[in-house]
Amino acid sequence: MPFDLSLIIRKAEKFGAKEAEAFLIRRRKMSSEIKGGEIDLSSTKLEEGVGLRVVLDKGRVGFSYSNDPSKQEELIKKSIKVARANEEDENWPSFPCCKNYRRVKNFYKEVVNMGSDEVVEMSKLMLDSAKLDERVQPFFGSSEVTYDFRELCNTQGIHVEEESTLLSLNLSTIARENGKVSPICFEYDVSRSKDVDPERVGREASEIALKCLEHSKIESGEKDVLFSQEALMMLWLFTISQGIKGDQVQRETSFLAGKIGEKVASEKVSLSDDGTLEGGVFSHSFDDEGVPCQKTEIISDGTLKGFIYDHYSARKEGKESTGNAWRGRDFFGEKLPYTSVPRVATTNLVLEKGRKSLDQLIDEIDEGVLVRSLQGAHSSDPESGSFSVVATPSFLIEKGEVKGLLRGIMLSGNAFSLLEKVRELSRETRTAYFLVAPWILFEDVRVIAKGSS
Amino acid sequence: MRDLLEKFMSIGTSLGAEYLDLRAQKIEKTEVLLKENKIEISTGILGGIGIRALVGGRWGFSSVTKLDSIESGIKEAISMARASGKKGSIDLEEVPTVEDSVTVGRKVDLDPRAVTPEEKVSVLGEMNNKLIGIQGVKAVTIEYLDVSGRQYFCNSEGSYIEEDKTYVWTKITAIGRKRDVIVTGREEIGTTSGFSEFLDKKDRAIEKLGNRIEMQLESKAPKGGEFPVVVGPELVGVLVHEALGHLAEADLTLSGSIIRPLLGKKIASSLINVYDDGTIEGAFGSFFYDDEGTPSQRTQLIKEGKLVSLMYDREHAMKFKRISEEEGIIDEFNTSPTGNARAESYSVPPIIRMSNTYVSKGDMSMEELLEGIKFGYYLVSFRGGQANLDGTFQVGVQEAYEISNGEISNPVRSVSISGNTLETLNRVEGVGEDFHLISGRCGKGQMAFVGSGGPHLKIGGILVGGA
């Protein structure tokens, strides 16, 4: 007997729920993992489960989940039991109603049809091109294909479903020569379609590691710092992307609370959340509450315009949801979406590009740091935005040229106030997890180098 | 269950698997999130089977959620292993076969499944009210999780183990504000001894957190630069876990960790002894058998500064046995499986994870550790940490004080420390006589419950970064 969402919500009503919402995900994942320079393990995973939210009188919400379709009635009873333990909530707005959906192109049949040989082949291609230089050891990586079927059904009349695909590659390398060891270097590619390039990933993961064998030095001080998309994503994951959440703003735990209409960034900064972005890794027709995805302006030419909301936080302010309710977006491990209630989260966070090329940006730097990635960004303070991180790998920029690796340097400051210190944005953009952005050049960033204070 | 699982073993081997194991699990979870006086409660039941097959020296893995899919899952795992290519290098070190049925936590006092959601919500509500009542505390978030479940492990060598596990974990985060100063503090409570143990520990955690927020609001930013430090047990734990522990997980050691050429050699001050111990009663990282059926144990990793073992699964124990023979590593260096193969759930294969990792205690008093430090920092509690295989690490500190002329003085905030693990371990100048273990979660693609800790340590110099 398969899960039947319409039946589940009808039965929930029969058992005493005023409202109900059932969410199903069926996920098939195939991956080929690299460990210690060879293909170590290939796997397939099949998961299917349902998360059920029920609401009793006065906004008492309960949630329960299960992956056993033979126990659908138990699931309903459990979520009602949980709701009884919950407190009343005067702000409960009822589940969202049906809207018009615009289909986003996020499903590619060719990805579903990929066989295990093809997935393994991508790992091999990455390995082979990384190994072309014998100083390089590719040690961790994977090729992964995910197929998701999402279905959502609520008592307000929403019943929607969507298939999506995702293909992702990543490879980490280390280079060694004459006793010198590079830090871990990482390269990746990700796409909804088959448009990924394993050879490029392998080649670039290797080139960066080799570049790290040359060393440079810099003194502590306030410097020009050029962030890659990956480095910016890591910094923003724990700061900006938290501070733009409507619920954080309502709690006044966001630095941006109460600042709509104010200038919060350099005029060069325009930022939006776009769940409909073509080709976006986080693009969907609807979010995990069934609300259509949309493009939401956050910062326009440096002025704060708005925040992202789920249905609950939006209705609290008399606004409409921006389609930013997502499940299972946990930093720790792999959390299956049906095992969690929806929470406010970004889709594709898009930072508008600039006019100059990356080369021009570098050319105009007299002394600065190019940061590829960060370590310790999760220790940043999401409320205040203050951070203190290790920039690794990072490179010296001197008189318009990228020089050698800077070892053990730290950057510190505040992610929100850095927005005002944006000098330039490149015209080249790239996707790093939830962020689609150009290279970004900040001025006067505090750099702390070892051996000086 | 045993008969059911065992009959699949012959199917697997007849299809060409050199080794096969099945982990069938049924897990019940309750999660409560209390944020800004709003409560979210969720409960769930998950069941599934993880299947691992070794074919031609390569691993294939599959996971399914229904018992009647096991056979197709086995075929899938075998075909995934075959797809990985020609002869691979994976071979398993031998471990004794085991038949056993056990309960982790040995004496679980009050199974969280026997506590109603109402009772859990009420306990967390009280904790919230206590914290909110403390001056300066503006917002509180409490995350509660309990996981109870049974695992049935069966492999083609004849081992069969049933193991019950119960975890109760809580993370309390408080935000304090005074004028423009915003500070965040957090405490975690974790136990494998049941709900009663959580009830016993909660008041102490609230008190600590409340004090920390009050104190942090009055603190100032640190100077950046290199300074001598005294590090408390909680931070010693995170250093030994993040900075050293991960380097000594054999899969990471092999993948380019800086300690790869240092097996059996001196890598730390001779004052330092480090253990990974999965057998500590009630500790958060304890278990009886790992997820390939090897008993947990107390493994000495560093003996008087010398690296004497890594943490292994069966695959990597075999790899390092060969390396040790080829490279003539000293006999004292251990290459037997250490029971560190752990999987977050049936849906992922086991990988090498820590259990409870700590520095063992020495003989110095706090006064002796502080003595002679003209200016430095006393680092008490951490906010998060990360380490790189090249031996660099970064740890955010949520509670820290200045040390001036051998005495603990003004509180400082937004401190983070970074450095090179080996350099730092070599600069340990004193080991305290106290000892404390804390509970935490570790992410390595999969989440694991772990313990870590040690005594107070004095370190000659560490890079301190401030906002």
Side-chain angles (χ1 to χ4, degrees):
Chain A
M1 180 179 46
F3 282 111
D4 182 340
L5 301 195
S6 316
L7 189 68
I8 290 174
I9 62 163
R10 276 206 312 277
K11 267 200 182 162
E13 283 182 309
K14 227 194 303 179
F15 290 170
K18 279 187 74 180
E19 293 180 68
E21 173 208 64
F23 172 84
L24 174 143
I25 196 151
R26 181 158 62 239
R27 174 169 289 179
R28 190 185 150 83
K29 223 175 194 175
M30 194 187 288
S31 75
S32 162
E33 288 166 31
I34 293 163
K35 220 183 229 179
E38 62 172 328
I39 293 169
D40 171 76
L41 180 142
S42 300
S43 67
T44 57
K45 290 174 198 173
L46 267 177
E47 266 294 339
E48 180 173 1
V50 168
L52 175 66
R53 271 202 292 181
V54 298
V55 190
L56 306 179
D57 55 323
K58 295 175 182 153
R60 287 188 297 156
V61 181
F63 177 74
S64 198
Y65 55 89
S66 168
N67 65 359
D68 187 348
S70 71
K71 299 204 169 112
Q72 300 185 45
E73 212 162 287
E74 245 182 85
L75 171 71
I76 300 164
K77 286 180 180 155
K78 273 208 132 180
S79 60
I80 289 178
K81 191 175 159 201
V82 165
R84 289 214 178 97
N86 208 341
E87 292 177 355
E88 294 172 5
D89 181 358
E90 57 182 23
N91 291 314
W92 177 257
S94 90
F95 288 119
C97 298
C98 209
K99 291 246 175 68
N100 289 325
Y101 297 92
R102 195 159 63 88
R103 281 281 161 195
V104 168
K105 179 79 180 151
N106 56 6
F107 173 75
Y108 290 83
K109 191 104 201 172
E110 76 227 41
V111 175
V112 183
N113 291 339
M114 285 176 76
S116 52
D117 292 349
E118 250 182 298
V119 179
V120 170
E121 184 59 24
M122 290 192 297
S123 287
K124 282 185 187 152
L125 285 172
M126 283 197 289
L127 275 176
D128 290 347
S129 58
K131 279 180 177 166
L132 285 177
D133 191 305
E134 60 187 19
R135 290 171 295 175
V136 176
Q137 192 200 2
F139 59 94
F140 266 144
S142 68
S143 307
E144 195 169 270
V145 174
T146 309
Y147 163 81
D148 275 349
F149 171 81
R150 291 157 74 232
E151 183 184 354
L152 185 133
C153 187
N154 74 18
T155 46
Q156 294 287 324
I158 293 184
H159 194 166
V160 284
E161 54 182 65
E162 182 190 61
E163 292 180 296
S164 61
T165 49
L166 194 70
L167 215 168
S168 68
L169 306 176
N170 69 78
L171 188 68
S172 297
T173 53
I174 279 186
R176 272 173 232 272
E177 188 176 35
N178 304 329
K180 278 185 184 170
V181 184
S182 76
I184 298 180
C185 295
F186 175 82
E187 186 49 44
Y188 62 93
D189 205 348
V190 59
S191 174
R192 291 286 193 188
S193 71
K194 260 174 121 172
D195 180 26
V196 292
D197 186 348
E199 284 177 71
R200 183 197 62 77
V201 173
R203 190 175 60 242
E204 288 187 18
S206 152
E207 282 169 5
I208 304 152
L210 288 170
K211 178 91 186 129
C212 292
L213 293 173
E214 257 172 76
H215 293 171
S216 291
K217 278 202 169 122
I218 196 165
E219 289 287 308
S220 295
E222 315 279 307
K223 313 279 178 190
D224 289 346
V225 176
L226 182 60
F227 271 68
S228 75
Q229 292 82 356
E230 189 191 330
L232 189 68
M233 179 275 287
M234 289 182 165
L235 180 63
W236 282 13
L237 176 60
F238 301 97
T239 54
I240 307 291
S241 73
Q242 305 300 318
I244 63 170
K245 292 178 180 177
D247 57 339
Q248 303 285 4
V249 173
Q250 289 166 358
R251 280 186 204 107
E252 291 184 27
T253 52
S254 163
F255 177 85
L256 298 171
K259 293 188 174 159
I260 293 272
E262 286 180 27
K263 193 173 169 298
V264 294
S266 144
E267 279 168 16
K268 292 197 154 73
V269 175
S270 289
L271 184 69
S272 59
D273 179 272
D274 190 355
T276 63
L277 183 75
E278 208 187 311
V281 174
F282 284 88
S283 293
H284 286 283
S285 304
F286 55 89
D287 73 0
D288 288 345
E289 286 185 307
V291 173
C293 287
Q294 65 173 53
K295 181 175 178 179
T296 308
E297 249 193 354
I298 315 266
I299 295 171
S300 174
D301 301 329
T303 303
L304 184 65
K305 293 289 185 186
F307 302 111
I308 56 173
Y309 296 91
D310 62 357
H311 185 68
Y312 180 91
S313 60
R315 293 312 300 154
K316 212 169 159 182
E317 290 182 35
K319 289 192 167 91
E320 290 299 313
S321 166
T322 55
N324 286 94
W326 299 101
R327 305 180 196 237
R329 295 269 290 274
D330 197 5
F331 300 136
F332 273 99
E334 190 176 284
K335 197 163 184 183
L336 287 161
Y338 69 84
T339 66
S340 83
V341 293
R343 296 187 204 290
V344 184
T346 55
T347 59
N348 307 290
L349 198 60
V350 183
L351 177 65
E352 290 301 316
K353 62 184 178 183
R355 291 205 183 89
K356 292 180 181 170
S357 70
L358 173 63
D359 286 344
Q360 272 174 293
L361 259 53
I362 293 171
D363 205 43
E364 289 167 13
I365 298 170
D366 189 47
E367 187 202 42
V369 180
L370 183 150
V371 184
R372 291 257 340 172
S373 189
L374 302 179
Q375 199 183 99
H378 63 300
S379 70
S380 307
D381 188 359
E383 282 82 22
S384 67
S386 76
F387 67 86
S388 184
V389 294
V390 176
T392 177
S394 66
F395 302 90
L396 175 69
I397 302 175
E398 200 175 46
K399 298 192 169 56
E401 257 183 80
V402 181
K403 302 282 186 173
L405 179 77
L406 294 167
R407 286 185 299 168
I409 64 160
M410 295 183 78
L411 307 177
S412 75
N414 184 297
F416 292 102
S417 39
L418 266 191
L419 290 174
E420 297 171 46
K421 293 181 177 177
V422 174
R423 191 196 296 158
E424 289 290 354
L425 300 157
S426 77
R427 63 174 177 240
E428 297 90 344
T429 63
R430 197 174 179 204
T431 300
Y433 188 36
F434 65 90
L435 184 70
V436 181
W439 288 77
I440 185 165
L441 174 60
F442 296 106
E443 52 193 19
D444 299 332
V445 181
R446 182 144 186 243
V447 175
I448 303 157
K450 209 172 175 176
S452 61
S453 56
Chain B
M1 188 60 99
R2 181 170 187 167
D3 295 345
L4 177 75
L5 295 181
E6 281 180 345
K7 85 167 197 255
F8 288 113
M9 293 301 140
S10 53
I11 296 178
T13 42
S14 71
L15 288 169
E18 291 139 29
Y19 170 88
L20 181 76
D21 64 31
L22 297 181
R23 271 179 303 121
Q25 267 185 340
K26 187 148 194 192
I27 313 166
E28 286 178 58
K29 274 191 196 182
T30 299
E31 284 165 272
V32 184
L33 174 68
L34 196 155
K35 195 169 183 176
E36 283 289 287
N37 304 314
K38 192 174 170 288
I39 297 167
E40 271 175 24
I41 317 166
S42 89
T43 60
I45 299 186
L46 293 178
I49 306 100
I51 302 157
R52 204 165 59 137
L54 187 63
V55 188
R58 292 189 198 267
W59 284 120
F61 177 82
S62 75
S63 75
V64 295
T65 54
K66 293 170 194 129
L67 289 174
D68 56 20
S69 311
I70 294 181
E71 191 166 336
S72 63
I74 290 173
K75 287 178 183 155
E76 194 93 44
I78 290 172
S79 94
M80 289 311 289
R82 290 218 167 96
S84 296
K86 286 184 236 87
K87 186 76 187 135
S89 65
I90 298 164
D91 195 1
L92 303 181
E93 177 60 293
E94 283 177 20
V95 291
T97 57
V98 177
E99 289 175 60
D100 204 352
S101 176
V102 287
T103 301
V104 175
R106 290 153 226 216
K107 38 180 189 208
V108 172
D109 195 4
L110 198 51
D111 187 322
R113 284 172 290 193
V115 182
T116 64
E118 278 90 347
E119 286 171 80
K120 288 171 189 167
V121 167
S122 127
V123 170
L124 299 175
E126 277 168 36
M127 292 166 66
N128 179 64
N129 293 345
K130 262 191 200 157
L131 255 180
I132 275 291
I134 293 170
Q135 202 182 1
V137 173
K138 217 186 110 276
V140 174
T141 302
I142 303 179
E143 294 162 72
Y144 168 90
L145 165 70
D146 63 55
V147 187
S148 312
R150 169 163 280 205
Q151 173 162 298
Y152 306 84
F153 174 87
C154 182
N155 73 15
S156 56
E157 294 168 352
S159 282
Y160 180 79
I161 300 162
E162 290 183 11
E163 186 160 358
D164 286 317
K165 290 181 189 173
T166 302
Y167 295 99
V168 180
W169 175 84
T170 310
K171 179 176 166 188
I172 317 156
T173 310
I175 296 165
R177 177 179 251 172
K178 190 174 178 185
R179 292 182 296 273
D180 270 356
V181 180
I182 303 176
V183 297
T184 309
R186 67 167 203 201
E187 272 295 308
E188 288 182 45
I189 311 167
T191 176
T192 52
S193 298
F195 198 77
S196 295
E197 177 83 4
F198 159 67
L199 291 177
D200 288 346
K201 285 180 169 171
K202 67 180 176 28
D203 291 339
R204 175 86 190 98
I206 296 284
E207 191 190 316
K208 259 171 89 177
L209 186 53
N211 290 343
R212 183 175 304 141
I213 293 289
E214 277 182 276
M215 190 266 313
Q216 288 283 295
L217 284 170
E218 302 304 327
S219 63
K220 57 178 187 180
K223 301 181 201 173
E226 196 176 298
F227 298 100
V229 293
V230 171
V231 183
E234 196 181 307
L235 221 92
V236 168
V238 76
L239 281 176
V240 81
H241 173 100
E242 294 290 347
L244 174 75
H246 284 301
L247 299 178
E249 291 171 338
D251 53 341
L252 296 186
T253 309
L254 203 58
S255 293
S257 126
I258 40 150
I259 64 171
R260 169 67 186 84
L262 301 172
L263 310 179
K265 298 198 173 124
K266 193 164 174 299
I267 63 165
S269 149
S270 47
L271 298 171
I272 291 286
N273 290 285
V274 176
Y275 295 86
D276 180 79
D277 186 353
T279 67
I280 304 170
E281 172 81 39
F284 207 41
S286 293
F287 47 87
F288 266 101
Y289 294 96
D290 75 0
D291 292 319
E292 28 178 43
T294 307
S296 67
Q297 62 175 53
R298 179 171 184 258
T299 308
Q300 184 158 22
L301 304 175
I302 295 185
K303 188 177 176 186
E304 291 167 7
K306 201 157 53 169
L307 180 63
V308 291
S309 183
L310 302 172
M311 288 167 277
Y312 304 106
D313 55 12
R314 296 180 59 185
E315 170 188 344
H316 288 86
M318 182 57 100
K319 283 192 168 133
F320 277 89
K321 184 169 144 187
R322 289 178 184 149
I323 287 170
S324 182
E325 281 162 9
E326 277 164 27
E327 299 178 7
I329 311 289
I330 56 162
D331 289 346
E332 202 181 357
F333 184 76
N334 170 59
T335 61
S336 300
T338 52
N340 286 92
R342 300 175 69 185
E344 181 180 354
S345 75
Y346 63 85
S347 72
V348 284
I351 54 175
I352 299 172
R353 306 303 298 266
M354 285 171 250
S355 59
N356 305 294
T357 319
Y358 57 85
V359 176
S360 61
K361 64 183 176 185
D363 57 7
M364 284 173 89
S365 68
M366 193 63 184
E367 289 72 36
E368 288 171 312
L369 292 172
L370 289 166
E371 203 178 281
I373 299 179
K374 220 169 139 211
F375 184 86
Y377 291 99
Y378 173 39
L379 309 172
V380 180
S381 179
F382 73 100
R383 197 167 52 210
Q386 197 182 335
N388 208 336
L389 290 179
D390 65 1
T392 57
F393 66 87
Q394 189 273 358
V395 174
V397 183
Q398 62 170 346
E399 183 177 345
Y401 304 83
E402 286 178 350
I403 300 172
S404 59
N405 298 319
E407 293 204 4
I408 297 166
S409 58
N410 305 318
V412 282
R413 66 165 167 269
S414 303
V415 176
S416 91
I417 54 169
S418 69
N420 176 291
T421 305
L422 300 188
E423 227 168 84
T424 306
L425 287 174
N426 270 301
R427 295 188 73 176
V428 171
E429 293 170 0
V431 181
E433 59 193 359
D434 58 334
F435 182 82
H436 185 60
L437 267 185
I438 60 156
S439 306
R441 299 185 303 168
C442 167
K444 184 179 170 184
Q446 306 175 21
M447 196 266 282
F449 294 125
V450 295
S452 62
H456 277 82
L457 294 181
K458 176 183 184 174
I459 301 171
I462 213 162
L463 186 66
V464 174

